[in-house]
Amino acid sequence: MVEIAVADHGQAAALACRLFVDLFSRKTNAVIGLATGSSPMEIYRMLGELAASNLLPDLSGISAFALDEYVGLPAGHAESYRAVLTREWTARLGLREDQLHVPSGDDSQLESAAKAFETALAGSGGVDLQLLGIGSNGHIAFNEPGGPLSSRTHVTSLSEQTRLDNARFFGSLDEVPARSMTQGLQTILEAERILLLAFGEQKAQAIAGAFEGPITRDLPASVLQTHPNVTVLVDEAAASAFSRLPLNSAKSWPLQDA
Ligand code: F6R
């Protein structure tokens, strides 16, 4: 079931924080699925503030799995997703390094790394709460349009659109890697609960197509329609291409039963 609510960026982050705090309080060994990119960063910042004020439960038993990693960046590159999540998640929440799992982007051993990541994920018991962003072309994680809907963790080529979109994190387009290691769509669908965030007009067509159109490999996010528990938080601009209005307002969103 997909629930869609309109919330501005700050409201969405606050709502997401409540889901996290609720999960951390219920489950000391919670498993979190982390996205990178810009959409979830405010959530990580807010959770970091709660951690700094000692308002979070004991997090020593939780673990987190990243969605993806660029292939071929030098170890420690500031824009590698391991580096980003170490800064934005591990450090802000005061966690140990071994509580974060990121697929390896070392291009000398990609096949075994994909298998090792799937094994670690399965061994964790599975993701309780998966955060997702969406690409302007409808990708989730780095599952680009045209790939199989049944995929598991694998290496993929980034589309030109995705490389252009992500050039803002690098000095120039040339520096954006051409490939990534990404969780597959089937891997993502195994999460217990999914929270997808989309902000800005550039996401409007992808979001509307994903949830109002057919399930198709041309719009990978559309596969989320098959998941039993997806919440989509969109700001007004990202909601602007929906034909089916009104959507829920975040104020009436029933978080109590989260
Ligand atoms: C990042 C990821 C990507 C992003 C997507 C949106 O780990 O998997 O799918 O979520 O590209 O990126 P932003 O949030 O920067 O618009």
Side-chain angles (χ1 to χ4, degrees), residues 99-121:
Q99 289 177 275
L100 173 66
H101 304 262
V102 183
S104 169
D106 175 352
D107 51 11
S108 67
Q109 44 169 322
L110 291 172
E111 209 169 304
S112 59
K115 285 204 182 99
F117 186 77
E118 285 278 343
T119 304
L121 193 48

Short mmCIF file of all heavy atoms in Angstrom, two decimals, residues 99-121:
data_model
loop_
_atom_site.label_atom_id
_atom_site.label_comp_id
_atom_site.label_asym_id
_atom_site.label_seq_id
_atom_site.Cartn_x
_atom_site.Cartn_y
_atom_site.Cartn_z
N GLN A 99 28.86 -0.26 12.55
CA GLN A 99 27.39 -0.25 12.48
C GLN A 99 26.88 0.23 11.11
O GLN A 99 25.68 0.28 10.88
CB GLN A 99 26.82 0.66 13.59
CG GLN A 99 26.99 0.06 14.99
CD GLN A 99 26.50 0.99 16.10
OE1 GLN A 99 27.24 1.87 16.56
NE2 GLN A 99 25.26 0.82 16.52
N LEU A 100 27.82 0.58 10.23
CA LEU A 100 27.45 1.05 8.89
C LEU A 100 28.00 0.09 7.83
O LEU A 100 29.19 -0.22 7.82
CB LEU A 100 28.04 2.45 8.65
CG LEU A 100 27.88 3.01 7.24
CD1 LEU A 100 26.41 3.27 6.92
CD2 LEU A 100 28.69 4.31 7.09
N HIS A 101 27.12 -0.36 6.95
CA HIS A 101 27.52 -1.24 5.84
C HIS A 101 27.26 -0.51 4.53
O HIS A 101 26.14 -0.07 4.27
CB HIS A 101 26.71 -2.54 5.86
CG HIS A 101 26.80 -3.28 7.16
ND1 HIS A 101 27.66 -4.33 7.36
CD2 HIS A 101 26.17 -3.08 8.33
CE1 HIS A 101 27.54 -4.76 8.60
NE2 HIS A 101 26.64 -4.03 9.22
N VAL A 102 28.31 -0.39 3.72
CA VAL A 102 28.18 0.28 2.43
C VAL A 102 28.72 -0.70 1.39
O VAL A 102 29.79 -1.28 1.59
CB VAL A 102 29.00 1.59 2.39
CG1 VAL A 102 28.79 2.31 1.06
CG2 VAL A 102 28.62 2.50 3.54
N PRO A 103 27.99 -0.92 0.28
CA PRO A 103 28.55 -1.82 -0.73
C PRO A 103 29.89 -1.28 -1.22
O PRO A 103 30.08 -0.07 -1.29
CB PRO A 103 27.50 -1.82 -1.85
CG PRO A 103 26.52 -0.76 -1.54
CD PRO A 103 26.71 -0.32 -0.11
N SER A 104 30.80 -2.20 -1.55
CA SER A 104 32.12 -1.75 -1.97
C SER A 104 32.09 -1.27 -3.42
O SER A 104 31.48 -1.89 -4.28
CB SER A 104 33.11 -2.91 -1.84
OG SER A 104 34.32 -2.54 -2.48
N GLY A 105 32.78 -0.15 -3.67
CA GLY A 105 32.89 0.35 -5.03
C GLY A 105 34.28 0.10 -5.60
O GLY A 105 34.67 0.70 -6.60
N ASP A 106 35.02 -0.81 -4.95
CA ASP A 106 36.37 -1.15 -5.41
C ASP A 106 36.25 -2.01 -6.66
O ASP A 106 35.75 -3.13 -6.61
CB ASP A 106 37.08 -1.90 -4.27
CG ASP A 106 38.44 -2.41 -4.69
OD1 ASP A 106 38.79 -2.32 -5.89
OD2 ASP A 106 39.17 -2.92 -3.81
N ASP A 107 36.71 -1.47 -7.80
CA ASP A 107 36.41 -2.15 -9.05
C ASP A 107 37.24 -3.40 -9.30
O ASP A 107 37.10 -4.05 -10.33
CB ASP A 107 36.45 -1.19 -10.25
CG ASP A 107 37.71 -0.38 -10.30
OD1 ASP A 107 38.64 -0.72 -9.54
OD2 ASP A 107 37.77 0.57 -11.09
N SER A 108 38.08 -3.80 -8.33
CA SER A 108 38.86 -5.03 -8.54
C SER A 108 38.08 -6.26 -8.08
O SER A 108 38.48 -7.38 -8.35
CB SER A 108 40.20 -4.94 -7.81
OG SER A 108 39.97 -4.92 -6.43
N GLN A 109 36.98 -6.08 -7.35
CA GLN A 109 36.29 -7.27 -6.80
C GLN A 109 34.79 -7.03 -6.69
O GLN A 109 34.19 -7.28 -5.64
CB GLN A 109 36.87 -7.59 -5.42
CG GLN A 109 37.06 -6.33 -4.60
CD GLN A 109 37.38 -6.61 -3.14
OE1 GLN A 109 36.86 -7.53 -2.54
NE2 GLN A 109 38.24 -5.79 -2.58
N LEU A 110 34.20 -6.56 -7.79
CA LEU A 110 32.80 -6.13 -7.70
C LEU A 110 31.82 -7.28 -7.49
O LEU A 110 30.88 -7.17 -6.70
CB LEU A 110 32.43 -5.35 -8.97
CG LEU A 110 33.16 -4.00 -9.05
CD1 LEU A 110 32.91 -3.35 -10.40
CD2 LEU A 110 32.69 -3.07 -7.93
N GLU A 111 32.06 -8.39 -8.18
CA GLU A 111 31.08 -9.47 -8.08
C GLU A 111 31.02 -10.05 -6.67
O GLU A 111 29.94 -10.24 -6.10
CB GLU A 111 31.44 -10.56 -9.09
CG GLU A 111 30.22 -11.32 -9.55
CD GLU A 111 30.57 -12.20 -10.74
OE1 GLU A 111 31.08 -11.68 -11.74
OE2 GLU A 111 30.34 -13.42 -10.60
N SER A 112 32.20 -10.29 -6.08
CA SER A 112 32.20 -10.86 -4.73
C SER A 112 31.69 -9.83 -3.73
O SER A 112 31.03 -10.17 -2.74
CB SER A 112 33.60 -11.34 -4.35
OG SER A 112 34.51 -10.27 -4.41
N ALA A 113 31.94 -8.54 -4.00
CA ALA A 113 31.45 -7.51 -3.08
C ALA A 113 29.93 -7.44 -3.08
O ALA A 113 29.30 -7.25 -2.03
CB ALA A 113 32.03 -6.15 -3.48
N ALA A 114 29.33 -7.62 -4.25
CA ALA A 114 27.85 -7.59 -4.32
C ALA A 114 27.28 -8.75 -3.51
O ALA A 114 26.32 -8.58 -2.75
CB ALA A 114 27.40 -7.69 -5.78
N LYS A 115 27.90 -9.91 -3.65
CA LYS A 115 27.42 -11.09 -2.90
C LYS A 115 27.60 -10.88 -1.41
O LYS A 115 26.71 -11.19 -0.60
CB LYS A 115 28.19 -12.34 -3.34
CG LYS A 115 27.76 -12.85 -4.70
CD LYS A 115 28.07 -14.35 -4.85
CE LYS A 115 27.68 -14.82 -6.24
NZ LYS A 115 28.80 -14.90 -7.18
N ALA A 116 28.77 -10.35 -1.03
CA ALA A 116 29.05 -10.14 0.40
C ALA A 116 28.05 -9.16 1.01
O ALA A 116 27.59 -9.33 2.14
CB ALA A 116 30.48 -9.61 0.56
N PHE A 117 27.67 -8.15 0.23
CA PHE A 117 26.72 -7.17 0.75
C PHE A 117 25.34 -7.80 0.97
O PHE A 117 24.71 -7.62 2.00
CB PHE A 117 26.62 -5.98 -0.21
CG PHE A 117 25.77 -4.87 0.32
CD1 PHE A 117 26.27 -3.99 1.28
CD2 PHE A 117 24.47 -4.70 -0.12
CE1 PHE A 117 25.48 -2.97 1.79
CE2 PHE A 117 23.67 -3.67 0.38
CZ PHE A 117 24.19 -2.80 1.33
N GLU A 118 24.91 -8.60 -0.01
CA GLU A 118 23.61 -9.28 0.14
C GLU A 118 23.63 -10.24 1.34
O GLU A 118 22.65 -10.34 2.07
CB GLU A 118 23.27 -10.07 -1.14
CG GLU A 118 22.83 -9.21 -2.30
CD GLU A 118 21.34 -8.83 -2.25
OE1 GLU A 118 20.57 -9.47 -1.51
OE2 GLU A 118 20.97 -7.87 -2.96
N THR A 119 24.76 -10.91 1.53
CA THR A 119 24.87 -11.85 2.66
C THR A 119 24.79 -11.10 3.99
O THR A 119 24.09 -11.52 4.91
CB THR A 119 26.21 -12.63 2.57
OG1 THR A 119 26.25 -13.28 1.30
CG2 THR A 119 26.35 -13.65 3.67
N ALA A 120 25.48 -9.97 4.06
CA ALA A 120 25.45 -9.18 5.30
C ALA A 120 24.04 -8.66 5.57
O ALA A 120 23.55 -8.67 6.71
CB ALA A 120 26.44 -8.03 5.21
N LEU A 121 23.38 -8.23 4.52
CA LEU A 121 22.02 -7.71 4.66
C LEU A 121 21.08 -8.81 5.15
O LEU A 121 20.29 -8.61 6.09
CB LEU A 121 21.56 -7.17 3.29
CG LEU A 121 20.33 -6.30 3.20
CD1 LEU A 121 20.33 -5.20 4.22
CD2 LEU A 121 20.24 -5.70 1.79
#
